[in-house]
C-alpha cells in the first residue's frame, strides 16, 4: 500500500484511499474494544488523524501496512478504554457478555496476514493452558485489563498476572526471537 | 510481583503487558513513560506488537458511517499552499479544464491500450500516467511512466513548428518546476528518468511542457508559460 507514502507526503486524496481500503477493518477493532458505536466513531477519527500525522514513520520492513494500521487502531481504542471518559461510558454499558471472546478458529480475512506467522502464533498459543490462552485473547480482542480478567475468572489479581506473564514468556520462547 | 522471573524477564513481561494493554492506572502510566524514555524498552514493546499481529486477521469488520470520513476530512489541513510561482498560477488555470474533461479516463485508456502491458511486479503503483494538454487545440502529450524501470514514454501531438523546442517539466505539488529534458516533436519519445527525478513522479504532481531554446542539457527554470499541463495519476 504505497498510498501510505503518499499520505506521508501530505496528500489528502491518498488518505481517502487508505480510509476506503481499511476503515471497515479498523472500525471493527474500535467497535469491539470500545463496546459502543459513538465512541468507536470518535476513536476511528483520531486513528486516521494519527495515520495522517505518522505515515512518514511507517516502516515496511517492520510491519505490513495493515498491521501498522491495526496496531494504531487497537492502541487508540485501548487508550480510550483506559481514559476517564472510557471508564464512565463503559460503566453504563450492558454486561461484557455481549462481546463474548472470539473463538479460537481462524477467519477468512486471516489471509490478509502472512499465513506462516499466523500459523505459528496459533500453534504457540495452542501450547498454553486453555484458560491462559483465553485470557490473552480477551486482552487482545476485548481490551480487558488484569483486573477485569481476574474478576471474570474469579481468581486473585496476583494469580491472573502470574498466569498471563508466564503464558506470554512461554509464547515468546515458542515463537523464537525475532 | 512474580518472584520467579529474572529482571530481564520482568522487563520483557512488562513490555508484553503494555503491548497487550493489560495495565491500567499508575502501572500503565509508568510503563508508557518508560517506553517514551527508554528506546530499548520501546523496541521490546514494538516487538510484542509484531509477535501478536497475526491476531489482527481475526477482527470482524464493520462499516463506519460516512460522517466519520467527513469529520476526518474537516480536520485535515487545506491542500498545502504551494509557494506560488507565476508558472504555477498559470498552470492551475489550465488544469481546471484538463481535470474536468475526462482526462483521467483518457490517460488510463492510453496506458492500457496504446502501450505494452507493464511487467507484473510488487503491489506498489507501477505506473504513472498523465494527459498533458492545453485548453484549446494546442499540444497533447500522453505520458506513461513505469516505476519498475524508470522509463517515461510519451506520445506527442500538436507541437507547433518553430525554433523553440518542447521541454518537459515536473512540478511537485507545492514545489518548483524541475526539467526532465527536451522531448522533440516526433510522435513518440522515451526517456529514462535519473533516480532523483523518479521520486518526484507521484500522484498529483504536474507534468508541463514549455517551449525553450534548443539545449542538450535541461534548463534550470522555464523561460515562458507552459503550452500544456496535466496532473499525474498513479495506477
Amino acid at each position: 500500500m504505497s498510498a501510505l507514502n503518499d499520505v506521508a507526503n501530505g496528500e489528502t486524496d491518498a488518505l481517502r484511499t487508505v480510509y476506503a481500503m481499511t476503515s471497515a477493518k479498523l472500525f471493527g477493532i474500535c467497535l469491539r474494544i470500545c463496546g459502543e458505536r459513538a465512541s468507536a466513531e470518535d476513536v476511528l477519527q483520531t486513528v486516521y488523524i494519527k495515520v495522517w500525522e505518522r505515515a512518514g514513520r511507517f516502516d515496511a520492513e517492520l510491519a505490513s501496512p495493515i498491521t501498522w494500521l491495526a496496531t494504531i487502531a487497537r492502541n487508540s481504542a485501548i487508550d480510550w478504554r483506559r481514559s476517564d471518559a472510557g471508564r464512565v461510558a463503559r460503566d453504563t454499558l450492558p454486561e461484557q457478555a455481549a462481546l463474548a471472546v472470539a473463538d479460537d478458529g481462524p477467519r477468512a480475512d486471516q489471509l490478509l496476514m502472512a499465513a506462516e506467522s499466523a500459523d505459528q502464533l496459533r500453534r504457540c498459543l495452542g501450547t498454553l493452558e486453555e484458560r491462559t490462552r483465553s485470557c490473552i485473547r480477551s486482552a487482545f480482542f476485548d481490551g480487558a485489563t488484569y483486573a477485569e480478567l481476574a474478576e471474570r475468572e474469579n481468581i486473585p489479581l496476583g494469580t491472573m498476572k502470574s498466569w498471563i506473564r508466564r503464558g506470554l514468556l512461554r509464547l515468546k520462547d515458542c515463537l523464537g526471537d525475532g | 510481583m512474580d518472584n520467579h522471573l529474572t529482571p530481564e524477564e520482568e522487563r520483557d513481561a512488562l513490555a508484553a503487558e503494555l503491548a497487550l494493554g493489560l495495565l491500567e492506572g499508575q502501572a500503565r502510566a509508568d510503563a508508557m513513560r518508560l517506553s517514551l524514555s527508554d528506546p530499548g524498552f520501546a523496541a521490546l514493546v514494538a516487538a510484542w506488537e509484531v509477535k501478536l499481529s497475526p491476531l489482527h486477521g481475526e477482527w470482524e469488520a464493520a462499516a463506519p458511517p460516512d460522517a466519520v470520513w467527513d469529520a476526518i476530512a474537516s480536520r485535515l489541513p487545506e491542500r498545502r499552499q504551494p509557494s506560488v510561482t507565476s508558472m504555477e498560477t498559470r498552470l492551475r488555470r489550465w488544469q481546471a479544464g484538463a481535470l474536468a474533461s475526462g482526462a483521467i479516463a483518457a490517460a488510463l485508456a492510453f496506458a492500457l491500450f496504446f502501450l505494452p502491458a507493464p511487467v507484473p511486479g510488487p503491489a506498489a503503483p507501477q505506473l504513472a500516467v498523465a494527459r498533458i494538454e492545453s485548453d484549446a487545440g494546442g499540444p497533447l502529450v500522453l505520458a506513461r511512466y513505469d516505476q519498475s524501470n524508470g522509463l517515461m514514454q510519451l506520445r506527442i501531438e500538436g507541437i507547433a513548428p518553430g525554433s523553440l523546442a518542447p521541454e518537459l517539466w515536473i512540478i511537485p505539488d507545492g514545489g518548483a518546476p524541475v526539467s526532465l529534458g527536451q522531448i522533440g516533436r516526433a510522435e513518440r519519445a522515451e526517456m529514462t528518468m535519473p533516480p532523483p527525478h523518479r521520486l518526484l513522479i507521484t500522484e498529483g504532481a504536474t507534468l508541463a511542457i514549455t517551449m525553450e531554446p534548443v539545449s542538450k542539457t535541461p534548463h534550470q527554470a522555464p523561460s515562458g508559460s507552459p503550452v500544456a499541463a496535466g496532473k499525474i495519476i498513479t495506477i
Side-chain angles (χ1 to χ4, degrees):
Chain A
M1 196 191 298
S2 83
L4 278 180
N5 297 330
D6 296 340
V7 173
N9 290 331
E11 298 194 14
T12 52
D13 290 351
L15 187 70
R16 181 78 182 90
T17 304
V18 171
Y19 182 87
M21 290 166 71
T22 60
S23 58
K25 175 98 179 166
L26 303 196
F27 189 53
I29 295 174
C30 297
L31 199 53
R32 175 76 180 265
I33 291 180
C34 294
E36 48 113 4
R37 289 191 76 89
S39 305
E41 288 170 18
D42 289 348
V43 171
L44 189 66
Q45 259 189 58
T46 66
V47 167
Y48 283 96
I49 297 296
K50 286 179 190 170
V51 169
W52 172 254
E53 288 164 351
R54 296 182 193 171
R57 282 186 265 158
F58 168 67
D59 183 346
E61 305 240 314
L62 294 181
S64 73
I66 191 68
T67 291
W68 186 76
L69 293 165
T71 302
I72 291 177
R74 182 174 174 277
N75 287 344
S76 302
I78 286 182
D79 284 345
W80 176 85
R81 209 177 183 284
R82 304 285 177 267
S83 69
D84 291 340
R87 273 194 295 272
V88 170
R90 294 193 59 82
D91 284 346
T92 63
L93 283 180
E95 268 300 294
Q96 184 73 7
L99 299 163
V101 186
D103 63 33
D104 284 3
R107 288 215 172 77
D109 65 348
Q110 193 101 43
L111 294 172
L112 274 172
M113 304 295 146
E116 202 173 306
S117 58
D119 281 348
Q120 196 191 12
L121 181 63
R122 199 176 316 119
R123 184 174 58 73
C124 289
L125 278 170
T127 67
L128 304 182
E129 256 189 82
E130 209 278 321
R131 280 187 309 188
T132 306
R133 176 173 64 247
S134 138
C135 288
I136 289 174
R137 289 181 60 87
S138 180
F140 189 89
F141 289 110
D142 300 323
T145 61
Y146 274 138
E148 289 166 342
L149 292 170
E151 194 186 338
R152 194 187 79 187
E153 297 290 320
N154 202 19
I155 58 168
L157 184 59
T159 309
M160 178 54 76
K161 286 186 182 173
S162 181
W163 280 6
I164 289 189
R165 293 186 134 213
R166 297 223 154 265
L168 288 168
L169 294 175
R170 284 249 315 266
L171 190 62
K172 183 180 176 174
D173 280 345
C174 175
L175 291 170
D177 266 357
Chain B
M1 139 195 0
D2 195 321
N3 298 327
H4 309 293
L5 300 185
T6 66
E8 215 171 294
E9 286 173 330
E10 277 287 342
R11 186 170 150 92
D12 201 23
L14 182 64
E17 288 170 338
L18 186 60
L20 203 46
L22 286 157
L23 305 173
E24 58 191 321
Q26 194 59 45
R28 175 172 161 84
D30 289 346
M32 289 179 101
R33 205 163 22 246
L34 183 60
S35 165
L36 286 174
S37 63
D38 180 343
F41 181 72
L44 286 178
V45 176
W48 272 103
E49 286 175 342
V50 170
K51 284 191 214 331
L52 296 168
S53 65
L55 291 174
H56 285 306
E58 294 184 39
W59 298 102
E60 199 100 46
D66 294 345
V68 175
W69 171 256
D70 298 340
I72 293 165
S74 74
R75 289 169 67 181
L76 299 177
E78 290 296 307
R79 206 130 182 65
R80 280 179 306 167
Q81 208 51 43
S83 51
V84 181
T85 65
S86 60
M87 174 156 174
E88 278 198 283
T89 318
R90 285 190 291 268
L91 273 177
R92 287 186 193 282
R93 278 202 294 273
W94 268 310
Q95 282 158 19
L99 282 177
S101 66
I104 288 173
L108 273 172
F110 171 69
L112 296 176
F113 298 116
F114 290 95
L115 288 164
V119 181
Q126 281 288 314
L127 279 185
V129 295
R131 181 184 167 93
I132 309 164
E133 63 185 352
S134 54
D135 49 356
L140 170 63
V141 176
L142 300 176
R144 174 189 192 273
Y145 172 70
D146 187 338
Q147 202 82 254
S148 66
N149 56 13
L151 186 68
M152 172 82 82
Q153 295 171 296
L154 303 165
R155 200 160 67 108
I156 302 163
E157 281 175 23
I159 303 281
S163 60
L164 297 177
E167 190 158 351
L168 183 65
W169 302 82
I170 180 142
I171 309 168
D173 195 7
V178 175
S179 176
L180 301 176
Q182 298 195 331
I183 59 175
R185 286 182 170 79
E187 190 187 332
R188 285 173 191 268
E190 284 188 355
M191 53 175 91
T192 301
M193 294 290 120
H197 291 168
R198 295 182 189 185
L199 300 175
L200 301 175
I201 301 180
T202 56
E203 177 94 31
T206 298
L207 285 173
I209 291 168
T210 61
M211 301 306 288
E212 302 290 347
V214 174
S215 165
K216 281 203 158 42
T217 54
H219 287 99
Q220 284 299 307
S223 61
S225 320
V227 294
K231 287 244 182 203
I232 290 174
I233 60 174
T234 56
I235 304 170

